Amino acid sequence: MGVSRHRRTIAVLGAFACALFTGIGRISYAQQVPGVIGSVYPTQLMPGQTTSVHIALARNNPVQSIEITPSTGVTVSDMKSRDLNQGSVWWEFMVTVAKDAAPGPRTLVAVQQTGRTAPVTLLIPDHVPNISNLRVVSAQANQPMVDLQLTASNQAGTFGGTPKVWFLLACGPGQPEAGIVRGKFDNGAIRAGIPNPRSLQEHAGAPAMGNRCDLQVRATDTSGIDSNVLMTTFDFK
């Protein structure tokens, strides 16, 4: 992987330091405002699938339950939390959507000890881009990028030549690395490179840099609809 590609990627990620998943870049886990969900990932729920959803909230106000409205065809389970050590806590839970659930927007509210948060909007799309066979092609500890490949199909749309690839990379305890890069779609496959966490060690709020990593990936088609989520575990060499 060339140095120029690495610099372009880091520049893209750095431009995203003040917002979460509103464009291309890296997540910033700043201190959260009480009663406000500071970030939510992902924002789309696939019909017929179970999706791991994450929200960031202020510390010292535990979440008691998650409400998604309308609730028909949607089930929430397995809630757990991770302290990000920046005045905020990352809550993770599983959302299962029935195959026949009505497409369209849903609202999510977290019920905390002091009350209910302001709502955020999730979407159940009317078609589902599909990805499979996630494979980490190269993960060298001394290289700036982790290269991955996956199979992609989309009966109701197209990924285009350079689809957005969303990733969540957790390499040991501490803050994970998350963001979006541009992949390359060709002959039914998407290839992409994501920054090695070690290359971000001098940045504020640098992610954990262990050798064993859990990776989650999804892709977005040209109509803005997200695919299912793929997960894998790999070791840096």
Side-chain angles (χ1 to χ4, degrees), residues 54-118:
H54 309 79
I55 60 175
L57 286 162
R59 188 188 287 172
N60 301 325
N61 192 5
V63 173
Q64 297 178 330
S65 63
I66 298 293
E67 297 179 356
I68 296 178
T69 307
S71 60
T72 304
V74 178
T75 303
V76 178
S77 62
D78 300 331
M79 184 168 59
K80 56 186 178 181
S81 63
R82 174 187 293 188
D83 195 326
L84 298 177
N85 299 317
Q86 294 182 344
S88 61
V89 174
W90 197 8
W91 295 86
E92 178 181 359
F93 48 92
M94 308 304 292
V95 180
T96 301
V97 179
K99 288 183 179 180
D100 59 353
R106 307 281 176 114
T107 59
L108 181 151
V109 169
V111 180
Q112 299 178 281
Q113 287 184 343
T114 59
R116 298 158 59 87
T117 64

Side-chain angles (χ1 to χ4, degrees), residues 11 19 36:
V36 175

Side-chain angles (χ1 to χ4, degrees), residues 128-176:
V128 182
N130 184 70
I131 59 175
S132 60
N133 302 321
L134 172 61
R135 183 166 65 94
V136 176
V137 178
S138 177
Q140 302 294 322
N142 61 350
Q143 295 297 314
M145 306 296 289
V146 176
D147 293 326
L148 57 92
Q149 178 176 308
L150 50 93
T151 303
S153 62
N154 193 352
Q155 295 181 352
T158 177
F159 283 103
T162 57
K164 294 178 182 178
V165 177
W166 305 65
F167 67 90
L168 177 65
L169 182 62
C171 299
Q175 178 174 306

